[in-house]
Amino acid sequence: MRLGLLGLGRMGSGIARRLARAGVDVVVWNRTIERAQALSAETARVSAAESLDDLVQRLDPPRCLWLMLPSGSPTEEVLAALAPRLARGDLIVDGGNAFYQDSVRRGEELAERGIELLDVGTSGGVWGEAEGYCLMVGGSERSVARLEPVFAALAPANGWRRVGPCGAGHFVKMVHNGIEYGLLQAYAEGFAILEAKGVFSLDLAEIASLWQSGSVVRSWLLELAAGALRRDAALHDVAPWVDDSGEGRWTVAEAIEGGVPTPVITLSLLARLASRDKEQYAARFVAALRREFGGHDVRSDPTPR
């Protein structure tokens, strides 16, 4: 099987490598050709396309192309350029964090050309290449079945599902990320309380490790927290600035639209906005964990200690 992959950021490159290890031939395209060429040099199963035309020509119809691009304009622009180059029966997978209403609209527009869109919410961050990605798939049962070998190669056991029609995959991923906001904030506030109790000289890394054994709050995020705290319990190298990439805002807006009370997720979003105005240990904690699980950049901290 041969698949086209567009976008070689933190997760796109990992997806290409994982597919290649599973025996899938991958033709990769990136706005900077050097990144595609570097990846193709790693394995014979990955080849670099010099242009969108080159990419399409290297794939046998019916083609399958997987996008791992930033939401908004980058995805919109590439789809607009790609669609006229494709034919009826071709399949596009959007594995980025697109807004689900955009995915519904794009699916309808592509369907007019006889091209189907699968929207695949993809979770796993920089660890997904080794551990597998959790895939939340939206689209027709027929097209999902066609790509089952690809999903099986990318996901761990029981790690992918068709959750509904086009748009459902990104909707479920949006809510997933909203929950993530709340979890990160709860851990951050708890550890901020522990850190503030200087009289006990608490070892935060040891506490995080302890809670991994039998505790009701154990999780992969807590495991990552233990690693980050072992390296620097005070998180001196992390500025108290927490970015939000859109999914939390979309989740809160959807909750308001649907009349669903979501105080925890909403306040966790507001806490991220507050982190940009003043220094907070909790904000350092969330920024550090986002770096751990997703490879997200952190700002250096110029504040003397």
Side-chain angles (χ1 to χ4, degrees), residues 28-246:
V28 296
W29 174 88
N30 197 68
R31 288 187 183 275
T32 53
I33 184 64
E34 293 80 11
R35 180 170 290 185
Q37 291 170 337
L39 187 60
S40 70
E42 296 181 13
T43 171
R45 288 201 174 274
V46 176
S47 59
E50 296 183 359
S51 65
L52 292 180
D53 285 329
D54 185 29
L55 173 68
V56 172
Q57 290 169 8
R58 292 192 190 202
L59 301 174
D60 297 326
R63 305 170 186 86
C64 178
L65 300 101
W66 187 301
L67 278 61
M68 288 301 295
L69 300 169
S71 64
S73 295
T75 296
E76 198 77 39
E77 291 169 5
V78 170
L79 280 174
L82 192 60
R85 294 171 162 85
L86 300 181
R88 299 187 70 86
D90 288 346
L91 183 61
I92 295 177
V93 176
D94 184 1
N97 280 329
F99 182 42
Y100 80 95
Q101 291 183 2
D102 287 337
S103 297
V104 172
R105 171 181 54 80
R106 291 166 182 160
E108 293 171 348
E109 293 171 350
L110 288 168
E112 294 177 359
R113 296 176 176 268
I115 302 166
E116 183 167 356
L117 176 69
L118 298 184
D119 61 304
V120 179
T122 306
S123 181
V126 296
W127 295 82
E129 179 183 343
E131 303 294 332
Y133 300 91
C134 178
L135 304 175
M136 296 146 262
V137 184
S140 72
E141 293 182 1
R142 176 181 55 82
S143 292
V144 171
R146 172 180 160 189
L147 278 193
E148 184 170 346
V150 172
F151 298 142
L154 290 174
N158 301 314
W160 75 273
R161 293 284 190 284
R162 177 186 179 270
V163 296
C166 184
H170 282 150
F171 181 79
V172 172
K173 179 58 162 52
M174 177 190 76
V175 177
H176 165 284
N177 282 24
I179 293 170
E180 175 192 302
Y181 275 45
L183 289 173
L184 290 174
Q185 189 64 30
Y187 279 130
E189 292 176 7
F191 276 89
I193 295 170
L194 295 173
E195 191 268 345
K197 198 64 173 179
V199 66
F200 287 150
S201 300
L202 299 172
D203 187 326
L204 302 189
E206 285 300 307
I207 292 170
S209 295
L210 170 65
W211 285 350
Q212 280 298 93
S213 300
S215 166
V216 297
V217 299
R218 64 186 181 275
S219 73
W220 181 55
L221 288 175
L222 195 58
E223 180 183 341
L224 295 175
L229 292 168
R230 285 192 190 95
R231 290 191 295 275
D232 178 13
L235 304 176
H236 285 143
D237 65 332
V238 181
W241 175 289
V242 186
D243 281 323
D244 69 287
S245 52

Side-chain angles (χ1 to χ4, degrees), residues 279-302:
E279 181 173 336
Q280 296 183 42
Y281 182 86
R284 292 177 184 273
F285 193 100
V286 175
L289 275 189
R290 292 181 80 245
R291 178 180 61 183
E292 291 296 309
F293 72 78
H296 301 289
D297 292 335
V298 298
R299 299 194 179 199
S300 59
D301 186 1

